Amino acid sequence: MAAHVKSGGAVSRRLVSLKTVLQFAVICSSVFSLTYVDGASLPSGACYWRQGSLINHIPTGPTEDLQHCRFVVRDPGFLDLLGLSPKIVEFVKTDAHEGAVWYPDQNELYFSSNRIALANGGSRADLKKVNLKTGGVTVLSAAPTDVPNGMVLDNNGDLLVCQQGSKTQGGFIQRVNLKTGKKSVVADNWFGVPFNSPNDAVVRSDGSIWFTDPSYGSVQGFRSAPKVNNQVYRISPSGVVDAIADGFTQPNGLAFSHDEKRLYVTDTGFALGQGSFDVTRPHSITVFDIGADGLLSNRRLFASVGVYDGSSVGLGIPDGIKVDTMERVYVATVDGVQVFAQSGKPLGLIRQSGVANMGFAGKGLDTMYMLNGTGISYVKLKVL
């Protein structure tokens, strides 16, 4: 009897030990991306991100080889956005830099090219569009000195283009009637002072136009020296221009929250231009509250942007920014499109090198088109 009891105790201990091992295996599988926390496999092409250690020589970044990981998961909530089978599709090869504005009437995406240096020392860029059904790209006629950058549709369906200016002409906000092709100047100065290099714009439901005005034209040598700080401006429906925020190094992308109660602004001061960087400058996203009077308050850091995949130095360049109906925030940067929850919690990365801007298109606005300088790609997402 005593021998039997002893034998039973040993079996019990072995069972407990086996249970412990199995529990540990389940934990490890969750941590090291074998399965998702609810037991379901990760979608094909997705992997987890891990925090590494410089001292212990553990890489920080994706847990899988980059060749097999296009979607880097930092939080389980990212999987709700990706769905069961996310896939990045290379749509068309073309010089595509900024914009990505969908024109639903013709199912076209408008965008601008990279800056083209001219023999006389000036610069220009092309305003372009691509048919999302055929993939055909059209270059629209533009003045030889135009340097279009970001753009947005206004509430009437006209295209508002941020024109960065030249050595002889200041930057301005241009309106293009997409049905007639007629162009007009919406605004070109603040209290008589010319804008620096308008970069990106958004339109509020009240018809006001908000845009960023960094000094990249001067930095890149095609615009005269700035005559005012790099600010964020608002153009009222009646055409009056007011500065609504400053204190940025290089304000770049901007976006309203879906309910228009917050304004997000990216700062790419870290990028000096011409391929040089200053690690002491911002690579961040700032968020403000918008009051009933349209004024901004409660300025705070939303996110400081790094690099998920090790493709660049550890600091990101948060450029274009968008917000979906679930208040998730999408930011274009050097390693792709990073996605954040409304709280600022990082959710994950859609990995596509060198994305400068992106936009949503399609009936359900569920297809995100990404511009990275050499082409346009897209991914279908579960945005609702």
Side-chain angles (χ1 to χ4, degrees):
M1 180 66 71
H4 177 71
V5 171
K6 183 176 180 180
S7 176
V11 170
S12 177
R13 284 192 297 273
R14 284 195 294 271
L15 289 174
V16 171
S17 176
L18 179 59
K19 181 179 180 182
T20 302
V21 169
L22 290 173
Q23 288 174 334
F24 180 73
V26 170
I27 292 171
C28 287
S29 69
S30 295
V31 172
F32 295 107
S33 75
L34 298 179
T35 57
Y36 177 38
V37 291
D38 65 359
S41 298
L42 284 175
S44 176
C47 68
Y48 284 107
W49 180 93
R50 70 178 170 200
Q51 176 66 53
S53 169
L54 297 175
I55 293 175
N56 295 317
H57 307 290
I58 302 172
T60 293
T63 56
E64 302 279 343
D65 185 278
L66 290 180
Q67 183 179 355
H68 302 102
C69 184
R70 299 301 300 274
F71 305 94
V72 186
V73 181
R74 279 203 58 178
D75 184 271
F78 192 46
L79 298 174
D80 297 332
L81 177 66
L82 295 181
L84 297 177
S85 55
K87 181 182 180 182
I88 296 174
V89 177
E90 303 296 338
F91 179 50
V92 64
K93 288 291 183 184
T94 186
D95 183 347
H97 179 56
E98 290 278 3
V101 173
W102 183 47
Y103 182 49
D105 289 10
Q106 298 295 329
N107 195 25
E108 297 168 332
L109 195 76
Y110 282 78
F111 60 98
S112 60
S113 71
N114 283 290
R115 184 173 58 88
I116 303 165
L118 302 177
N120 62 4
S123 293
R124 65 179 298 273
D126 290 326
L127 179 61
K128 307 165 79 173
K129 65 179 181 178
V130 59
N131 185 293
L132 297 185
K133 183 178 180 179
T134 67
V137 176
T138 303
V139 179
L140 305 175
S141 60
T145 56
D146 276 1
V147 188
N149 202 66
M151 57 196 73
V152 66
L153 287 183
D154 69 12
N155 295 342
N156 296 317
D158 292 334
L159 187 68
L160 300 174
V161 182
C162 292
Q163 292 284 359
Q164 299 180 82
S166 65
K167 288 283 190 180
T168 59
Q169 178 177 270
F172 60 101
I173 303 299
Q174 179 185 62
R175 175 176 280 113
V176 181
N177 184 311
L178 296 180
K179 290 182 170 63
T180 66
K182 181 180 178 181
K183 299 175 182 178
S184 59
V185 175
V186 178
D188 60 9
N189 75 92
W190 174 67
F191 284 99
V193 180
F195 299 138
N196 297 331
S197 297
N199 188 279
D200 209 352
V202 288
V203 176
R204 207 165 180 227
S205 58
D206 64 2
S208 59
I209 302 164
W210 303 45
F211 68 97
T212 54
D213 189 37
S215 57
Y216 276 125
S218 175
V219 169
Q220 295 170 7
F222 65 88
R223 179 78 176 87
S224 55
K227 293 180 171 59
V228 65
N229 289 338
N230 297 335
Q231 302 185 124
V232 180
Y233 294 97
R234 179 186 61 209
I235 307 171
S236 72
S238 63
V240 176
V241 179
D242 285 305
I244 55 170
D246 65 2
F248 296 96
T249 303
Q250 295 287 12
N252 200 312
L254 75 171
F256 294 119
S257 60
H258 186 63
D259 60 10
E260 297 190 338
K261 292 182 178 180
R262 291 175 303 283
L263 175 71
Y264 299 90
V265 181
T266 68
D267 192 336
T268 49
F270 165 64
L272 301 178
Q274 313 301 327
S276 59
F277 306 94
D278 184 342
V279 298
T280 67
R281 292 187 169 199
H283 42 93
S284 57
I285 306 165
T286 296
V287 61
F288 300 86
D289 293 334
I290 305 175
D293 56 3
L295 298 180
L296 303 181
S297 63
N298 194 21
R299 177 184 184 138
R300 57 204 183 273
L301 176 70
F302 177 76
S304 186
V305 179
V307 176
Y308 273 61
D309 65 3
S311 60
S312 178
V313 291
L315 309 181
I317 306 175
D319 197 333
I321 184 169
K322 299 291 187 293
V323 181
D324 70 15
T325 56
M326 300 297 291
E327 301 292 358
R328 286 176 293 231
V329 178
Y330 302 74
V331 180
T333 183
V334 292
D335 55 359
V337 177
Q338 296 185 17
V339 185
F340 297 82
Q342 180 181 350
S343 63
K345 178 174 65 174
L347 298 179
L349 167 72
I350 299 169
R351 200 174 69 79
Q352 179 77 327
S353 178
V355 177
N357 216 327
M358 68 284 166
F360 289 90
K363 282 187 176 181
L365 292 177
D366 60 353
T367 305
M368 184 175 70
Y369 286 84
M370 300 174 283
L371 315 181
N372 74 342
T374 61
I376 301 174
S377 56
Y378 68 83
V379 58
K380 281 189 170 291
L381 299 170
K382 297 176 71 67
V383 296
L384 297 178

